[in-house]
Amino acid sequence: MTDLAPLYRAYIDCLNRRDWARLGDFVDDRARHNGRPFGLAGYRAMLEQDVREIPDLRFVIGLLACDPPLVAARLDFTCTPRGRYFGLDIDGRTVSFSENVFYRFRGGRIVEVWSLIDREAIAAQL
């Protein structure tokens, strides 16, 4: 079984470097996100859109637990979204929030992601 903690940390590093060409090293071609079939292309498009809306987006691992084939993480963010984000008028204000996310790995790559972002924490800062 693959040691998922270093693999997951390498995935987060890939996201923070915006190394989209290497995303396929970590995400399966048939990946699903919150039950939707995204595939690698859809997953990449989602991340690229996130970076367009939040140019200073940086993924910080707050908590990490691995029980192969699953990874659970709490990702912490302090960033400055442009305009509206999650239906909220943020308009360039800096906000801090967390995402609780679970991943299922198969063959060393992410095949399923379940994500929940703390939108109430964002709203409370506005």
Side-chain angles (χ1 to χ4, degrees), residues 65-92:
C66 300
D67 186 13
L70 301 175
V71 167
R74 181 174 176 92
L75 300 175
D76 298 321
F77 303 93
T78 297
C79 56
T80 313
R82 296 177 176 169
R84 288 182 65 79
Y85 192 66
F86 293 126
L88 301 168
D89 289 318
I90 297 177
D91 298 319

PDB file of all heavy atoms in Angstrom, residues 65-92:
ATOM      1  N   ALA A  65      -5.005  13.079   8.283  1.00  0.00           N
ATOM      2  CA  ALA A  65      -5.119  11.706   8.784  1.00  0.00           C
ATOM      3  C   ALA A  65      -5.207  10.777   7.588  1.00  0.00           C
ATOM      4  O   ALA A  65      -5.920  11.058   6.624  1.00  0.00           O
ATOM      5  CB  ALA A  65      -6.360  11.557   9.661  1.00  0.00           C
ATOM      6  N   CYS A  66      -4.463   9.696   7.653  1.00  0.00           N
ATOM      7  CA  CYS A  66      -4.445   8.737   6.551  1.00  0.00           C
ATOM      8  C   CYS A  66      -4.802   7.351   7.067  1.00  0.00           C
ATOM      9  O   CYS A  66      -4.236   6.881   8.053  1.00  0.00           O
ATOM     10  CB  CYS A  66      -3.057   8.685   5.910  1.00  0.00           C
ATOM     11  SG  CYS A  66      -2.509  10.256   5.236  1.00  0.00           S
ATOM     12  N   ASP A  67      -5.735   6.726   6.398  1.00  0.00           N
ATOM     13  CA  ASP A  67      -6.129   5.350   6.657  1.00  0.00           C
ATOM     14  C   ASP A  67      -6.378   4.733   5.292  1.00  0.00           C
ATOM     15  O   ASP A  67      -7.517   4.710   4.825  1.00  0.00           O
ATOM     16  CB  ASP A  67      -7.384   5.303   7.531  1.00  0.00           C
ATOM     17  CG  ASP A  67      -7.763   3.899   7.947  1.00  0.00           C
ATOM     18  OD1 ASP A  67      -6.941   2.976   7.776  1.00  0.00           O
ATOM     19  OD2 ASP A  67      -8.891   3.722   8.439  1.00  0.00           O
ATOM     20  N   PRO A  68      -5.292   4.309   4.616  1.00  0.00           N
ATOM     21  CA  PRO A  68      -5.401   3.869   3.221  1.00  0.00           C
ATOM     22  C   PRO A  68      -6.584   2.937   2.996  1.00  0.00           C
ATOM     23  O   PRO A  68      -6.841   2.074   3.818  1.00  0.00           O
ATOM     24  CB  PRO A  68      -4.078   3.148   2.975  1.00  0.00           C
ATOM     25  CG  PRO A  68      -3.132   3.815   3.941  1.00  0.00           C
ATOM     26  CD  PRO A  68      -3.960   4.119   5.154  1.00  0.00           C
ATOM     27  N   PRO A  69      -7.333   3.210   1.944  1.00  0.00           N
ATOM     28  CA  PRO A  69      -7.056   4.122   0.825  1.00  0.00           C
ATOM     29  C   PRO A  69      -7.618   5.530   1.017  1.00  0.00           C
ATOM     30  O   PRO A  69      -7.728   6.287   0.058  1.00  0.00           O
ATOM     31  CB  PRO A  69      -7.762   3.438  -0.344  1.00  0.00           C
ATOM     32  CG  PRO A  69      -8.986   2.839   0.288  1.00  0.00           C
ATOM     33  CD  PRO A  69      -8.519   2.370   1.651  1.00  0.00           C
ATOM     34  N   LEU A  70      -7.926   5.916   2.270  1.00  0.00           N
ATOM     35  CA  LEU A  70      -8.544   7.213   2.512  1.00  0.00           C
ATOM     36  C   LEU A  70      -7.573   8.205   3.141  1.00  0.00           C
ATOM     37  O   LEU A  70      -6.701   7.826   3.927  1.00  0.00           O
ATOM     38  CB  LEU A  70      -9.762   7.067   3.429  1.00  0.00           C
ATOM     39  CG  LEU A  70     -10.878   6.147   2.931  1.00  0.00           C
ATOM     40  CD1 LEU A  70     -11.956   5.999   3.993  1.00  0.00           C
ATOM     41  CD2 LEU A  70     -11.456   6.695   1.638  1.00  0.00           C
ATOM     42  N   VAL A  71      -7.784   9.469   2.796  1.00  0.00           N
ATOM     43  CA  VAL A  71      -7.080  10.588   3.420  1.00  0.00           C
ATOM     44  C   VAL A  71      -8.146  11.576   3.861  1.00  0.00           C
ATOM     45  O   VAL A  71      -9.081  11.869   3.107  1.00  0.00           O
ATOM     46  CB  VAL A  71      -6.105  11.262   2.426  1.00  0.00           C
ATOM     47  CG1 VAL A  71      -5.612  12.595   2.958  1.00  0.00           C
ATOM     48  CG2 VAL A  71      -4.925  10.345   2.115  1.00  0.00           C
ATOM     49  N   ALA A  72      -8.001  12.099   5.065  1.00  0.00           N
ATOM     50  CA  ALA A  72      -8.875  13.154   5.565  1.00  0.00           C
ATOM     51  C   ALA A  72      -7.982  14.342   5.901  1.00  0.00           C
ATOM     52  O   ALA A  72      -6.930  14.183   6.514  1.00  0.00           O
ATOM     53  CB  ALA A  72      -9.627  12.695   6.806  1.00  0.00           C
ATOM     54  N   ALA A  73      -8.412  15.530   5.469  1.00  0.00           N
ATOM     55  CA  ALA A  73      -7.597  16.718   5.718  1.00  0.00           C
ATOM     56  C   ALA A  73      -8.497  17.902   6.046  1.00  0.00           C
ATOM     57  O   ALA A  73      -9.631  17.997   5.576  1.00  0.00           O
ATOM     58  CB  ALA A  73      -6.737  17.036   4.499  1.00  0.00           C
ATOM     59  N   ARG A  74      -7.939  18.779   6.849  1.00  0.00           N
ATOM     60  CA  ARG A  74      -8.532  20.096   7.066  1.00  0.00           C
ATOM     61  C   ARG A  74      -7.551  21.063   6.439  1.00  0.00           C
ATOM     62  O   ARG A  74      -6.401  21.162   6.870  1.00  0.00           O
ATOM     63  CB  ARG A  74      -8.729  20.379   8.544  1.00  0.00           C
ATOM     64  CG  ARG A  74      -9.367  21.745   8.792  1.00  0.00           C
ATOM     65  CD  ARG A  74      -9.684  21.911  10.278  1.00  0.00           C
ATOM     66  NE  ARG A  74     -10.211  23.217  10.567  1.00  0.00           N
ATOM     67  CZ  ARG A  74     -11.511  23.528  10.586  1.00  0.00           C
ATOM     68  NH1 ARG A  74     -12.404  22.600  10.303  1.00  0.00           N
ATOM     69  NH2 ARG A  74     -11.907  24.746  10.873  1.00  0.00           N
ATOM     70  N   LEU A  75      -8.005  21.730   5.393  1.00  0.00           N
ATOM     71  CA  LEU A  75      -7.168  22.687   4.695  1.00  0.00           C
ATOM     72  C   LEU A  75      -7.549  24.086   5.151  1.00  0.00           C
ATOM     73  O   LEU A  75      -8.737  24.420   5.210  1.00  0.00           O
ATOM     74  CB  LEU A  75      -7.352  22.548   3.181  1.00  0.00           C
ATOM     75  CG  LEU A  75      -7.005  21.172   2.615  1.00  0.00           C
ATOM     76  CD1 LEU A  75      -7.343  21.111   1.129  1.00  0.00           C
ATOM     77  CD2 LEU A  75      -5.529  20.853   2.848  1.00  0.00           C
ATOM     78  N   ASP A  76      -6.547  24.883   5.470  1.00  0.00           N
ATOM     79  CA  ASP A  76      -6.778  26.235   5.967  1.00  0.00           C
ATOM     80  C   ASP A  76      -6.369  27.247   4.903  1.00  0.00           C
ATOM     81  O   ASP A  76      -5.341  27.084   4.237  1.00  0.00           O
ATOM     82  CB  ASP A  76      -5.976  26.467   7.250  1.00  0.00           C
ATOM     83  CG  ASP A  76      -6.405  25.534   8.366  1.00  0.00           C
ATOM     84  OD1 ASP A  76      -7.626  25.288   8.496  1.00  0.00           O
ATOM     85  OD2 ASP A  76      -5.532  25.056   9.113  1.00  0.00           O
ATOM     86  N   PHE A  77      -7.185  28.285   4.769  1.00  0.00           N
ATOM     87  CA  PHE A  77      -6.963  29.306   3.759  1.00  0.00           C
ATOM     88  C   PHE A  77      -7.063  30.691   4.374  1.00  0.00           C
ATOM     89  O   PHE A  77      -7.949  30.948   5.192  1.00  0.00           O
ATOM     90  CB  PHE A  77      -8.015  29.210   2.647  1.00  0.00           C
ATOM     91  CG  PHE A  77      -8.074  27.881   1.976  1.00  0.00           C
ATOM     92  CD1 PHE A  77      -8.959  26.905   2.422  1.00  0.00           C
ATOM     93  CD2 PHE A  77      -7.255  27.589   0.905  1.00  0.00           C
ATOM     94  CE1 PHE A  77      -9.022  25.666   1.810  1.00  0.00           C
ATOM     95  CE2 PHE A  77      -7.313  26.349   0.277  1.00  0.00           C
ATOM     96  CZ  PHE A  77      -8.200  25.388   0.736  1.00  0.00           C
ATOM     97  N   THR A  78      -6.184  31.575   3.970  1.00  0.00           N
ATOM     98  CA  THR A  78      -6.310  33.012   4.187  1.00  0.00           C
ATOM     99  C   THR A  78      -6.022  33.607   2.821  1.00  0.00           C
ATOM    100  O   THR A  78      -4.910  33.460   2.297  1.00  0.00           O
ATOM    101  CB  THR A  78      -5.330  33.538   5.251  1.00  0.00           C
ATOM    102  OG1 THR A  78      -5.655  32.907   6.505  1.00  0.00           O
ATOM    103  CG2 THR A  78      -5.445  35.051   5.410  1.00  0.00           C
ATOM    104  N   CYS A  79      -7.036  34.221   2.225  1.00  0.00           N
ATOM    105  CA  CYS A  79      -6.898  34.641   0.834  1.00  0.00           C
ATOM    106  C   CYS A  79      -7.833  35.807   0.531  1.00  0.00           C
ATOM    107  O   CYS A  79      -8.639  36.211   1.368  1.00  0.00           O
ATOM    108  CB  CYS A  79      -7.162  33.468  -0.102  1.00  0.00           C
ATOM    109  SG  CYS A  79      -8.770  32.694   0.151  1.00  0.00           S
ATOM    110  N   THR A  80      -7.713  36.292  -0.698  1.00  0.00           N
ATOM    111  CA  THR A  80      -8.430  37.489  -1.104  1.00  0.00           C
ATOM    112  C   THR A  80      -9.199  37.234  -2.399  1.00  0.00           C
ATOM    113  O   THR A  80      -8.716  37.561  -3.484  1.00  0.00           O
ATOM    114  CB  THR A  80      -7.424  38.653  -1.292  1.00  0.00           C
ATOM    115  OG1 THR A  80      -6.558  38.692  -0.164  1.00  0.00           O
ATOM    116  CG2 THR A  80      -8.137  39.986  -1.429  1.00  0.00           C
ATOM    117  N   PRO A  81     -10.376  36.628  -2.317  1.00  0.00           N
ATOM    118  CA  PRO A  81     -11.169  36.386  -3.530  1.00  0.00           C
ATOM    119  C   PRO A  81     -11.596  37.694  -4.187  1.00  0.00           C
ATOM    120  O   PRO A  81     -11.846  38.692  -3.519  1.00  0.00           O
ATOM    121  CB  PRO A  81     -12.394  35.624  -3.012  1.00  0.00           C
ATOM    122  CG  PRO A  81     -11.968  35.054  -1.697  1.00  0.00           C
ATOM    123  CD  PRO A  81     -11.009  36.061  -1.137  1.00  0.00           C
ATOM    124  N   ARG A  82     -11.701  37.638  -5.499  1.00  0.00           N
ATOM    125  CA  ARG A  82     -12.187  38.785  -6.272  1.00  0.00           C
ATOM    126  C   ARG A  82     -13.707  38.708  -6.367  1.00  0.00           C
ATOM    127  O   ARG A  82     -14.265  37.633  -6.531  1.00  0.00           O
ATOM    128  CB  ARG A  82     -11.622  38.756  -7.681  1.00  0.00           C
ATOM    129  CG  ARG A  82     -10.135  38.896  -7.734  1.00  0.00           C
ATOM    130  CD  ARG A  82      -9.679  38.782  -9.163  1.00  0.00           C
ATOM    131  NE  ARG A  82      -8.240  39.009  -9.243  1.00  0.00           N
ATOM    132  CZ  ARG A  82      -7.529  38.764 -10.312  1.00  0.00           C
ATOM    133  NH1 ARG A  82      -8.082  38.276 -11.400  1.00  0.00           N
ATOM    134  NH2 ARG A  82      -6.237  38.994 -10.307  1.00  0.00           N
ATOM    135  N   GLY A  83     -14.377  39.840  -6.297  1.00  0.00           N
ATOM    136  CA  GLY A  83     -15.817  39.894  -6.548  1.00  0.00           C
ATOM    137  C   GLY A  83     -16.617  39.020  -5.609  1.00  0.00           C
ATOM    138  O   GLY A  83     -16.396  39.001  -4.401  1.00  0.00           O
ATOM    139  N   ARG A  84     -17.549  38.244  -6.205  1.00  0.00           N
ATOM    140  CA  ARG A  84     -18.414  37.345  -5.430  1.00  0.00           C
ATOM    141  C   ARG A  84     -17.764  35.966  -5.358  1.00  0.00           C
ATOM    142  O   ARG A  84     -17.218  35.491  -6.344  1.00  0.00           O
ATOM    143  CB  ARG A  84     -19.784  37.233  -6.084  1.00  0.00           C
ATOM    144  CG  ARG A  84     -20.612  38.496  -5.934  1.00  0.00           C
ATOM    145  CD  ARG A  84     -21.993  38.367  -6.536  1.00  0.00           C
ATOM    146  NE  ARG A  84     -22.844  37.385  -5.876  1.00  0.00           N
ATOM    147  CZ  ARG A  84     -23.490  37.584  -4.733  1.00  0.00           C
ATOM    148  NH1 ARG A  84     -23.377  38.721  -4.103  1.00  0.00           N
ATOM    149  NH2 ARG A  84     -24.248  36.645  -4.221  1.00  0.00           N
ATOM    150  N   TYR A  85     -17.854  35.363  -4.197  1.00  0.00           N
ATOM    151  CA  TYR A  85     -17.324  34.014  -4.005  1.00  0.00           C
ATOM    152  C   TYR A  85     -18.301  33.286  -3.096  1.00  0.00           C
ATOM    153  O   TYR A  85     -18.688  33.808  -2.048  1.00  0.00           O
ATOM    154  CB  TYR A  85     -15.921  34.079  -3.397  1.00  0.00           C
ATOM    155  CG  TYR A  85     -15.193  32.769  -3.428  1.00  0.00           C
ATOM    156  CD1 TYR A  85     -14.810  32.187  -4.627  1.00  0.00           C
ATOM    157  CD2 TYR A  85     -14.895  32.093  -2.259  1.00  0.00           C
ATOM    158  CE1 TYR A  85     -14.142  30.985  -4.659  1.00  0.00           C
ATOM    159  CE2 TYR A  85     -14.225  30.888  -2.278  1.00  0.00           C
ATOM    160  CZ  TYR A  85     -13.846  30.342  -3.479  1.00  0.00           C
ATOM    161  OH  TYR A  85     -13.193  29.129  -3.512  1.00  0.00           O
ATOM    162  N   PHE A  86     -18.744  32.121  -3.499  1.00  0.00           N
ATOM    163  CA  PHE A  86     -19.771  31.363  -2.771  1.00  0.00           C
ATOM    164  C   PHE A  86     -21.022  32.195  -2.549  1.00  0.00           C
ATOM    165  O   PHE A  86     -21.673  32.096  -1.514  1.00  0.00           O
ATOM    166  CB  PHE A  86     -19.262  30.842  -1.426  1.00  0.00           C
ATOM    167  CG  PHE A  86     -18.190  29.806  -1.535  1.00  0.00           C
ATOM    168  CD1 PHE A  86     -16.994  29.972  -0.873  1.00  0.00           C
ATOM    169  CD2 PHE A  86     -18.375  28.672  -2.297  1.00  0.00           C
ATOM    170  CE1 PHE A  86     -15.999  29.028  -0.959  1.00  0.00           C
ATOM    171  CE2 PHE A  86     -17.382  27.720  -2.397  1.00  0.00           C
ATOM    172  CZ  PHE A  86     -16.194  27.894  -1.727  1.00  0.00           C
ATOM    173  N   GLY A  87     -21.323  33.058  -3.504  1.00  0.00           N
ATOM    174  CA  GLY A  87     -22.509  33.892  -3.409  1.00  0.00           C
ATOM    175  C   GLY A  87     -22.370  35.061  -2.454  1.00  0.00           C
ATOM    176  O   GLY A  87     -23.345  35.744  -2.153  1.00  0.00           O
ATOM    177  N   LEU A  88     -21.169  35.303  -1.974  1.00  0.00           N
ATOM    178  CA  LEU A  88     -20.919  36.392  -1.020  1.00  0.00           C
ATOM    179  C   LEU A  88     -20.113  37.491  -1.696  1.00  0.00           C
ATOM    180  O   LEU A  88     -19.179  37.223  -2.453  1.00  0.00           O
ATOM    181  CB  LEU A  88     -20.131  35.861   0.187  1.00  0.00           C
ATOM    182  CG  LEU A  88     -20.797  34.729   0.969  1.00  0.00           C
ATOM    183  CD1 LEU A  88     -19.809  34.096   1.932  1.00  0.00           C
ATOM    184  CD2 LEU A  88     -22.012  35.255   1.708  1.00  0.00           C
ATOM    185  N   ASP A  89     -20.458  38.730  -1.431  1.00  0.00           N
ATOM    186  CA  ASP A  89     -19.714  39.870  -1.972  1.00  0.00           C
ATOM    187  C   ASP A  89     -18.454  40.088  -1.152  1.00  0.00           C
ATOM    188  O   ASP A  89     -18.475  40.789  -0.135  1.00  0.00           O
ATOM    189  CB  ASP A  89     -20.583  41.132  -1.960  1.00  0.00           C
ATOM    190  CG  ASP A  89     -21.687  41.070  -2.987  1.00  0.00           C
ATOM    191  OD1 ASP A  89     -21.411  40.612  -4.114  1.00  0.00           O
ATOM    192  OD2 ASP A  89     -22.814  41.472  -2.665  1.00  0.00           O
ATOM    193  N   ILE A  90     -17.368  39.498  -1.589  1.00  0.00           N
ATOM    194  CA  ILE A  90     -16.104  39.623  -0.858  1.00  0.00           C
ATOM    195  C   ILE A  90     -15.313  40.810  -1.399  1.00  0.00           C
ATOM    196  O   ILE A  90     -14.717  41.560  -0.652  1.00  0.00           O
ATOM    197  CB  ILE A  90     -15.307  38.313  -0.925  1.00  0.00           C
ATOM    198  CG1 ILE A  90     -16.114  37.207  -0.240  1.00  0.00           C
ATOM    199  CG2 ILE A  90     -13.942  38.484  -0.277  1.00  0.00           C
ATOM    200  CD1 ILE A  90     -15.515  35.847  -0.286  1.00  0.00           C
ATOM    201  N   ASP A  91     -15.328  40.967  -2.712  1.00  0.00           N
ATOM    202  CA  ASP A  91     -14.749  42.141  -3.375  1.00  0.00           C
ATOM    203  C   ASP A  91     -13.348  42.504  -2.901  1.00  0.00           C
ATOM    204  O   ASP A  91     -13.080  43.647  -2.544  1.00  0.00           O
ATOM    205  CB  ASP A  91     -15.677  43.355  -3.221  1.00  0.00           C
ATOM    206  CG  ASP A  91     -17.023  43.115  -3.879  1.00  0.00           C
ATOM    207  OD1 ASP A  91     -17.052  42.534  -4.979  1.00  0.00           O
ATOM    208  OD2 ASP A  91     -18.046  43.509  -3.290  1.00  0.00           O
ATOM    209  N   GLY A  92     -12.450  41.547  -2.860  1.00  0.00           N
ATOM    210  CA  GLY A  92     -11.060  41.838  -2.556  1.00  0.00           C
ATOM    211  C   GLY A  92     -10.705  41.912  -1.091  1.00  0.00           C
ATOM    212  O   GLY A  92      -9.570  42.241  -0.755  1.00  0.00           O
TER     213      GLY A  92
END
